[in-house]
Amino acid sequence: SNMSKGLKQSCHFPLREYTKHYIGAILNLPSCDPYPNPLVLRGTPQAGKSSVKGVVIIICRLLKIPLVIVTNAVAESEDLTQKLQRFSSDSEEGSKRVLNINGPPDGTSKLNLREGGAVVVAATPKRIEKVNAMIEELQTKFVLIVDECDAMCQTPDAHN
């Protein structure tokens, strides 16, 4: 199996059913509009949502479909990258499947995406533009995970 021991231990959900559902959703993604309804994962802090992302990384790698994970801020993107690198595999090769985009797009990031790897990016305009350029160059469908999207959508006036 491509799953690390740490990831297996953190999966407190029906792994087989979830994996079948997610593979089906990815394989049925259209390559143009209309886009499918998003799959929404909710949970309290430290509930194990990162393990779901770890499973998606493995699925995308096996299907050779790029995965982009957008986080709220630079520090969060770096923390999530490290956590997902630990989950990706017990090997050094596996940890290279998850890269953080904090500089200009480079050959490593593009190759990683082309092979179904994952990039984690903070939701800043320049970083989003870099990832968008890489995805456009690949001209392929991809999976997008927006981490902590509730925090991104809050305004100073929001109470929830």
Side-chain angles (χ1 to χ4, degrees):
S1 154
N2 291 334
M3 189 179 292
S4 71
K5 184 177 178 182
L7 179 56
K8 284 180 187 174
Q9 291 174 342
S10 70
C11 290
H12 304 292
F13 53 90
L15 184 59
R16 183 178 304 270
E17 291 80 12
Y18 175 82
T19 303
K20 284 181 185 179
H21 176 76
Y22 209 92
I23 288 173
I26 291 172
L27 290 176
N28 291 312
L29 281 174
S31 53
C32 61
D33 287 329
Y35 294 105
N37 291 329
L39 298 173
V40 178
L41 175 67
R42 293 175 237 188
T44 59
Q46 304 304 315
K49 296 181 297 292
S50 293
S51 61
V52 173
K53 293 177 202 106
V55 172
V56 174
I57 288 168
I58 292 169
I59 293 169
C60 287
R61 188 63 164 204
L62 292 172
L63 298 176
K64 299 222 182 285
I65 295 177
L67 171 61
V68 176
I69 304 171
V70 179
T71 64
N72 201 21
V74 174
E76 291 169 352
S77 76
E78 292 168 352
D79 290 345
L80 183 59
T81 299
Q82 290 176 0
K83 183 184 281 187
L84 294 175
Q85 284 174 336
R86 288 191 304 270
F87 275 163
S88 286
S89 177
D90 290 326
S91 69
E92 185 178 330
E93 152 82 17
S95 69
K96 292 178 182 174
R97 294 178 187 163
V98 183
L99 300 175
N100 190 294
I101 301 296
N102 50 22
D106 60 19
T108 303
S109 300
K110 290 177 190 174
L111 180 62
N112 185 52
L113 281 173
R114 183 173 283 112
E115 294 176 354
V119 294
V120 181
V121 60
T124 65
K126 285 187 177 186
R127 287 180 168 92
I128 296 294
E129 286 173 16
K130 291 172 188 175
V131 171
N132 187 47
M134 286 191 291
I135 292 293
E136 283 183 359
E137 186 177 313
L138 293 174
Q139 296 184 347
T140 186
K141 60 184 171 182
F142 65 98
V143 173
L144 173 68
I145 295 177
V146 181
D147 193 42
E148 304 295 343
C149 63
D150 57 335
M152 289 183 204
C153 296
Q154 289 182 352
T155 64
D157 300 333
H159 298 289
N160 295 337

